[in-house]
Amino acid sequence: MGSRPTIQMVAELAGVSRGTVDRVLNERPHVNEAVRQRVLAAMRELGYLSPREAYRRQADAALRPLTLGVLLPNWEGQFRDEVTQGLRQACEELEASSVRVLIRRCETDLPQEAAELLEAMRGEGAEGFAVCAVNDPAIQGWIAARMAEGIPCVTFNSDLPESGRLCFVGQSIRQAGRVAAGLLYKCASGRGPILATAGNLKFDGHRQRLDGFLERLEELGFPAEQVMVRETFNDYETTLRVVGKALEEQPELRGVYMANLSVSGCCAAIARAGKSGRVHVVCHDINESVRQLIRSGAVDFTIPQDLRRQGYAPLLLLRDHLRKKSPLGPGRQQIHILCAENLED
Amino acid sequence: MGSRPTIQMVAELAGVSRGTVDRVLNERPHVNEAVRQRVLAAMRELGYLSPREAYRRQADAALRPLTLGVLLPNWEGQFRDEVTQGLRQACEELEASSVRVLIRRCETDLPQEAAELLEAMRGEGAEGFAVCAVNDPAIQGWIAARMAEGIPCVTFNSDLPESGRLCFVGQSIRQAGRVAAGLLYKCASGRGPILATAGNLKFDGHRQRLDGFLERLEELGFPAEQVMVRETFNDYETTLRVVGKALEEQPELRGVYMANLSVSGCCAAIARAGKSGRVHVVCHDINESVRQLIRSGAVDFTIPQDLRRQGYAPLLLLRDHLRKKSPLGPGRQQIHILCAENLED
């Protein structure tokens, strides 16, 4: 009673062996997912800490407190939800090691606003930064100046490659654009022109996707004059209008590359034109809306990315860097392809 | 000198921190692959055992010795190489826990030979079996009889679902066939007929692939009379001849589903007919030959599976089952799709 909870108590509450609890604790493979969740729930309920975690918290608590700053763009929906989940998980883990996290969200895509928010967090004492912002010289310069002072900055989701940041956490975006080109080429080649719609090309992520896409189409010998490019700023109404107009101008259009977030706007325009199933669609990311569009056949393929990890990993990398723990690289991730037949249920 | 090697010695030899060695030991995420390999090499060189592993070996050595039997089909090439790697890794781990492994390979696809080899291993004292064999009533019955006696049998790669085996370790094969259908449909629909070539339909794995493929094509509304099915027994010459004949009979052929191992035979037939690039190819598994065929554009997509794990996991499952350790399920694996643009280098 009142004493520290043990591994045995966790095992009993979860109805599994001590060995299984040990495997979950050490993130070892071959544990059934339902069992793992039951063990984690039992740990939370009992407030159990592994010896490793208890030791780490004790050690970290003795360290000087740290403050980290996170800058987010104004994107809504899936990006916001999943990155926020990752951030929240990181904050919970970091709180126990005396790390405070400031989070600021831009209201516009203006570089000046982003630079001001970064500077304000610096004023509040932030000693390391995780940044997702437009790839603008003003922000590149701000990051370069911090790096020169020994204040580490990590970019995530959309890179600022010229800034000299510590590292980038995210998909190999140019390659993801190349994969999209390969897929759409197989569906549409020899059948008609292709429309590529980008988000906001001032973000390196959106620019890289489009560059990779166009580069690969050219390598495959797809005629350049049969590719239309439009910027639709992740906005439903703009996408609906732009895709609708393209379908009028090019009645033979056979493929749309949706490099931005308004996939439902694109599919609505195709349905209104009475061309569902005739015009192939390849997009990025996966949420309930895209899942349904894939199941119904309106979207052929999507290329997902791990947004939760993009919120989680930068803060842990910054803490480890500032506290001189072993350097853990951001790691390269295989690019996956999802279609109606291999969507997970 | 001569004393047991320590984690510190491993860290020094590998040129990393103790924390990194600890992460590798505990299979924790976010360790750079090159660093991980360096740490593992240092452990091997020093003969280092983690406290967990040292304890386990000591505990297992005190147990009654076990004998396990493995039955393999006569397939050559990638299947044989990678499954053997997995088996070898399992044998190394199991040797230290007093488990002896017998391995027998069929020379034919005849069920009688398989049943005799299984019975012979039983005569040599095997108390658990890992089986990859034709889905024949004789072998189903043999497995069912062992299960009834309390002798566990695990199937891998190709299942014998009616045998009542403990579990199956492998891909969801029917779903993999459905994914192949979705991919080929997008490439070939409305353009011409499709040829599906299977390996040996007496293996459940080959049968399930084909069933999943045909089922999904029908759901998508692809006309049944436009699908030809041929059995080519994983043989290069047979595949070359059968695909060549199909291309003559059906000059409009636009897609080939290679559900068997002779992908190069299929591509050679297409090249000889002067139809490279016009006839789309979807296959299974990935090796250097398939990698090159994908890079050159001769193969559009492949659906890989983890063959190494199929050799490794059954033996560990059998040991854990027989020694009443915590039950570790075989786990469901996401089906991946590879094309020229997302092949790993």
Side-chain angles (χ1 to χ4, degrees):
Chain A
M1 296 287 288
S3 69
R4 202 176 127 199
T6 64
I7 203 166
Q8 182 63 39
M9 290 159 72
V10 174
E12 280 168 17
L13 183 59
V16 300
S17 71
R18 288 177 47 133
T20 299
V21 176
D22 185 67
R23 292 189 81 84
V24 173
L25 269 175
N26 288 295
E27 299 174 30
R28 292 168 75 85
H30 309 315
V31 179
N32 179 290
E33 182 57 25
V35 170
R36 203 175 75 85
Q37 290 301 334
R38 221 160 66 218
V39 170
L40 293 175
M43 285 181 190
R44 274 193 302 273
E45 189 168 326
L46 294 167
Y48 174 83
L49 292 181
S50 69
R52 176 200 315 272
E53 187 60 24
Y55 173 80
R56 161 148 224 163
R57 291 195 182 187
Q58 212 175 359
D60 282 352
L63 293 171
R64 182 178 69 79
L66 267 184
T67 301
L68 302 177
V70 179
L71 183 70
L72 294 168
N74 62 351
W75 303 333
E76 298 289 331
Q78 190 203 2
F79 173 85
R80 179 170 180 152
D81 295 346
E82 296 189 10
V83 167
T84 302
Q85 281 174 25
L87 282 171
R88 195 174 304 137
Q89 191 193 337
C91 288
E92 280 173 20
E93 291 186 26
L94 292 175
E95 201 184 354
S97 21
S98 304
V99 179
R100 184 174 63 124
V101 180
L102 309 173
I103 300 176
R104 299 292 176 269
R105 198 178 299 273
C106 292
E107 289 182 7
T108 70
D109 283 344
L110 297 174
Q112 205 197 328
E113 186 198 5
E116 282 170 9
L117 289 171
L118 286 167
E119 195 55 34
M121 288 192 277
R122 191 180 167 215
E124 291 185 60
E127 297 157 86
F129 293 88
V131 180
C132 177
V134 287
N135 187 21
D136 182 89
I139 306 173
Q140 291 163 18
W142 191 90
I143 291 177
R146 296 297 81 68
M147 291 296 293
E149 293 170 5
I151 294 181
C153 299
V154 171
T155 56
F156 64 97
N157 185 268
S158 184
D159 198 7
L160 289 94
E162 298 86 355
S163 66
R165 77 285 183 277
L166 189 65
C167 67
F168 167 64
V169 176
Q171 200 168 44
S172 166
I173 293 174
R174 194 179 186 95
Q175 197 196 347
R178 292 175 59 87
V179 171
L183 294 170
L184 210 48
Y185 179 80
K186 289 182 206 300
C187 296
S189 171
R191 294 180 168 180
I194 285 176
L195 168 69
T197 77
N200 178 343
L201 294 177
K202 290 197 183 112
F203 278 88
D204 182 72
H206 295 179
R207 162 56 64 193
Q208 292 280 340
R209 274 184 185 167
L210 185 65
D211 286 353
F213 181 81
L214 297 175
E215 171 187 84
R216 182 59 180 157
L217 274 192
E218 192 184 337
E219 284 172 21
L220 290 166
F222 194 86
E225 68 276 12
Q226 293 223 38
V227 188
M228 290 183 286
V229 176
R230 300 285 184 275
E231 220 173 352
T232 68
F233 302 100
N234 301 321
D235 177 62
Y236 181 92
E237 290 299 333
T238 310
T239 304
L240 187 67
R241 185 169 43 75
V242 167
V243 175
K245 191 142 172 283
L247 286 163
E248 273 173 36
E249 287 169 10
Q250 298 273 2
E252 289 310 305
L253 194 81
R254 291 307 291 266
V256 180
Y257 173 40
M258 283 298 298
N260 71 61
L261 303 177
S262 309
V263 183
S264 54
C266 168
C267 294
I270 293 171
R272 282 192 196 175
K275 299 201 169 169
S276 299
R278 247 183 77 84
V279 177
H280 295 278
V281 177
V282 175
C283 69
H284 290 272
D285 299 340
I286 179 84
N287 57 22
E288 201 37 54
S289 155
V290 170
R291 211 177 281 274
Q292 283 180 17
L293 291 167
I294 289 178
R295 284 210 193 92
S296 75
V299 168
D300 291 80
F301 294 104
T302 190
I303 301 163
Q305 59 182 321
D306 190 344
L307 291 171
R308 207 185 144 99
R309 185 170 173 279
Q310 291 176 14
Y312 174 79
L315 290 172
L316 273 80
L317 287 165
L318 287 167
R319 177 201 59 185
D320 289 349
H321 181 83
L322 285 162
R323 293 230 169 113
K324 320 274 185 232
K325 307 268 176 186
S326 45
L328 309 174
R332 188 163 171 274
Q333 292 182 292
Q334 166 78 14
I335 293 181
H336 294 305
I337 298 169
L338 295 179
C339 56
E341 293 80 10
N342 72 338
L343 273 182
E344 279 172 301
D345 289 329
Chain B
M1 296 287 287
S3 69
R4 201 176 127 199
T6 64
I7 203 167
Q8 182 63 39
M9 290 159 72
V10 174
E12 281 169 16
L13 183 60
V16 300
S17 71
R18 288 177 47 132
T20 299
V21 176
D22 185 67
R23 291 189 82 84
V24 173
L25 269 176
N26 288 295
E27 299 174 30
R28 292 167 75 84
H30 309 315
V31 179
N32 179 289
E33 182 56 25
V35 170
R36 203 176 75 85
Q37 290 302 333
R38 221 160 65 219
V39 170
L40 293 176
M43 286 180 190
R44 274 193 301 272
E45 190 169 325
L46 294 168
Y48 174 83
L49 292 181
S50 69
R52 176 200 315 273
E53 187 60 23
Y55 173 80
R56 162 148 224 163
R57 291 195 181 188
Q58 213 175 358
D60 282 352
L63 293 171
R64 182 178 70 80
L66 267 185
T67 301
L68 301 177
V70 179
L71 184 71
L72 294 168
N74 62 352
W75 304 332
E76 299 289 331
Q78 190 203 2
F79 173 85
R80 180 172 180 150
D81 296 346
E82 296 189 10
V83 168
T84 302
Q85 281 174 25
L87 282 171
R88 195 175 303 138
Q89 192 192 336
C91 288
E92 280 173 21
E93 291 186 25
L94 291 175
E95 201 184 354
S97 20
S98 304
V99 179
R100 184 174 64 124
V101 180
L102 309 172
I103 300 177
R104 299 291 175 268
R105 199 179 299 273
C106 292
E107 288 182 7
T108 70
D109 283 344
L110 298 174
Q112 204 198 328
E113 186 198 6
E116 282 170 10
L117 289 171
L118 286 166
E119 196 55 34
M121 287 192 278
R122 190 179 167 216
E124 291 185 60
E127 297 157 87
F129 293 88
V131 180
C132 177
V134 287
N135 187 21
D136 182 89
I139 307 174
Q140 290 163 17
W142 191 90
I143 291 177
R146 296 298 81 69
M147 291 295 294
E149 293 170 5
I151 294 182
C153 299
V154 171
T155 55
F156 64 97
N157 185 268
S158 184
D159 198 7
L160 289 93
E162 298 86 356
S163 66
R165 76 288 183 276
L166 189 66
C167 66
F168 167 64
V169 176
Q171 200 168 44
S172 166
I173 293 173
R174 194 179 186 95
Q175 197 196 348
R178 291 175 60 87
V179 171
L183 294 170
L184 209 48
Y185 178 80
K186 289 181 206 299
C187 296
S189 171
R191 294 179 167 180
I194 285 176
L195 168 68
T197 78
N200 178 343
L201 293 177
K202 290 195 184 114
F203 279 89
D204 182 72
H206 294 179
R207 162 56 64 193
Q208 292 280 340
R209 274 183 185 168
L210 185 65
D211 286 353
F213 181 81
L214 297 175
E215 170 187 86
R216 182 60 180 156
L217 273 192
E218 192 184 336
E219 285 173 20
L220 289 165
F222 193 86
E225 67 276 11
Q226 293 223 39
V227 188
M228 290 183 285
V229 176
R230 299 286 184 274
E231 220 173 352
T232 68
F233 302 100
N234 301 320
D235 177 63
Y236 181 92
E237 290 299 333
T238 309
T239 304
L240 187 67
R241 185 168 44 75
V242 167
V243 175
K245 191 143 170 285
L247 286 162
E248 272 173 36
E249 287 168 11
Q250 297 274 2
E252 289 310 306
L253 194 81
R254 290 308 290 267
V256 180
Y257 173 40
M258 282 298 298
N260 71 61
L261 303 176
S262 309
V263 183
S264 54
C266 168
C267 294
I270 293 170
R272 282 192 196 175
K275 298 200 169 169
S276 299
R278 246 183 78 83
V279 177
H280 295 278
V281 177
V282 175
C283 69
H284 290 271
D285 299 340
I286 179 84
N287 57 23
E288 201 37 54
S289 155
V290 170
R291 210 176 282 273
Q292 282 180 18
L293 291 167
I294 289 177
R295 285 210 193 91
S296 75
V299 168
D300 291 79
F301 295 103
T302 190
I303 301 163
Q305 58 182 321
D306 190 344
L307 292 170
R308 206 185 144 100
R309 186 170 173 279
Q310 292 176 14
Y312 174 79
L315 290 171
L316 273 80
L317 286 165
L318 288 167
R319 177 201 59 185
D320 289 349
H321 181 83
L322 285 162
R323 293 231 168 111
K324 319 276 184 233
K325 307 269 176 185
S326 45
L328 309 173
R332 188 163 171 275
Q333 292 182 292
Q334 165 79 14
I335 293 181
H336 294 305
I337 298 168
L338 295 179
C339 56
E341 293 80 10
N342 72 338
L343 273 182
E344 279 172 301
D345 288 329

